[in-house]
Amino acid sequence: TLARIVGIVERTSLLRRSADDTDQVERVIVANADQMLIVVAAADPEPRERLVDRYLVAALDAGIRPLLVVTKTDLADPTEFLRHFDGLDLRVFTSAQGATGGIEGMPVDEIGAALIGHSTVFVGHSGVGKSTLVNALVPSALRATGHVNQVTGRGRHTSSSTVSLRYEGDAGSGWVIDTPGVRSFGLGHVDPANILAAFTELAAIAENCPRGCTHRTDAEDCALNEAAAEGALGEAGLSRLESLQRLLATFADKL
C-alpha cells in the first residue's frame, strides 16, 4: 500500500525468454537493462556452449551488451570452452589460476568496474555461482546460495525471484539485477533474422551469401557452408556454425 506509480516512460530494452522454441508466449525477465552478465562454471556443472549462444541471441534481440564470467576455474581449464566464442566482441572475466574455489580469485573489482553506469542483468544455469558473485559485489544482498547435486550434476534453484540491487563502486554506481537460475532458454519470441547477427564473425562471411540464403546445412551457394568446406573457419568457427545452424533449423518454419 506504500507503493505509488509516479510516472511511466518508454522501455529502452526488454529481455525475454519462452518456455521452448515453439512457444510464442514471452516471459519477461527484465526491462531497461543495457548489459547481460552471463555466468557459467568451468565445471560442476559443465559449461554449455549452446546455452550461452542462446543468451547471446536473446541479448542481441533485446539490444543488450553481453559479458561473460567463468567461475570454478579451479576445477577445470576453461580454454577449450572459451575457444567456442573466438571472434566475438565478448568481454570475458575468469578467476585467477591457483584459486581454491568460491569467490576467491574472481576479479570482483574488475567486474564491478564494468557495472558502473549500467543496469546489468545476471543470468546463468543453476549452480554456477551467480548468487555468490552477486553477494561479493553487493554484500548487503544476502542472496541464497546452494550446491550442485553430485548425482545429477545439476544445480539447485536457490534464487526464486528477480531482484534489482544497487552496486556501489569507488568510481561510481550501477544496478545489479539477479535472476533465478535456468536450465533452458527458449527463443520462440525472437525474430529469426536476429539470430545470425548474434554470431558476428559468421555474419560477416554471410554477407557474401545470395539473397534469401537460409544459411542452413542444405543451403546452396551458402558462403558459410563453402567456408566450412574449405577449412577457413577453424575448429571454433565450425563449432559456432553448427550452433548457428541448429538454431536456424529450429526456426525454419518462421523464416
Side-chain angles (χ1 to χ4, degrees):
T1 59
L2 298 179
R4 296 290 186 272
I5 297 175
V6 297
I8 299 176
V9 297
E10 293 293 326
R11 288 171 171 167
T12 58
S13 67
L14 182 63
L15 180 64
R16 303 165 290 171
R17 75 180 182 97
S18 57
D20 55 51
D21 291 336
T22 62
D23 187 358
Q24 298 299 308
V25 179
E26 67 180 37
R27 275 75 169 170
V28 175
I29 298 175
V30 66
N32 302 329
D34 63 323
Q35 289 191 147
M36 173 194 285
L37 189 74
I38 305 166
V39 184
V40 300
D44 193 31
E46 293 296 315
R48 297 165 54 191
E49 293 97 339
R50 305 292 182 247
L51 180 59
V52 175
D53 283 339
R54 288 172 171 272
Y55 284 136
L56 294 175
V57 169
L60 186 81
D61 184 66
I64 296 174
R65 178 195 180 203
L67 308 168
L68 179 64
V69 172
V70 184
T71 65
K72 304 185 183 181
T73 55
D74 57 308
L75 301 180
D77 185 347
T79 302
E80 188 63 30
F81 166 76
L82 291 175
R83 190 171 290 122
H84 179 75
F85 307 102
D86 284 350
L88 285 182
D89 182 17
L90 179 64
R91 188 174 182 184
V92 178
F93 305 91
T94 62
S95 56
Q97 293 183 349
T100 58
I103 203 63
E104 181 180 339
M106 284 298 297
V108 176
D109 291 340
E110 187 178 352
I111 294 172
L115 305 180
I116 294 174
H118 298 282
S119 293
T120 307
V121 56
F122 284 45
V123 298
H125 193 289
S126 303
V128 297
K130 179 166 54 63
S131 294
T132 299
L133 178 58
V134 169
N135 288 338
L137 291 164
V138 186
S140 62
L142 302 177
R143 295 294 273 172
T145 59
H147 301 282
V148 174
N149 187 302
Q150 297 302 312
V151 176
T152 65
R154 293 180 175 180
R156 181 171 61 89
H157 292 290
T158 52
S159 298
S160 58
S161 61
T162 297
V163 177
S164 183
L165 305 161
R166 188 75 168 176
Y167 169 75
E168 298 290 348
D170 294 337
S173 61
W175 289 97
V176 169
I177 305 162
D178 188 22
T179 64
V182 298
R183 299 189 180 115
S184 62
F185 202 95
L187 299 174
H189 62 284
V190 171
D191 181 350
N194 290 336
I195 294 178
L196 175 60
F199 297 77
T200 50
E201 82 287 14
L202 297 180
I205 298 174
E207 291 180 0
N208 298 316
C209 288
R211 187 173 182 178
C213 181
T214 64
H215 311 300
R216 297 197 295 270
T217 55
D218 58 351
E220 296 183 2
D221 300 322
C222 175
L224 292 173
N225 289 331
E226 291 176 354
E230 295 168 359
L233 296 183
E235 185 177 346
L238 286 174
S239 177
R240 288 187 55 72
L241 177 59
E242 179 185 357
S243 182
L244 168 65
Q245 291 177 331
R246 284 178 185 233
L247 286 172
L248 291 176
T250 299
F251 288 86
D253 59 334
K254 296 175 64 177
L255 292 172

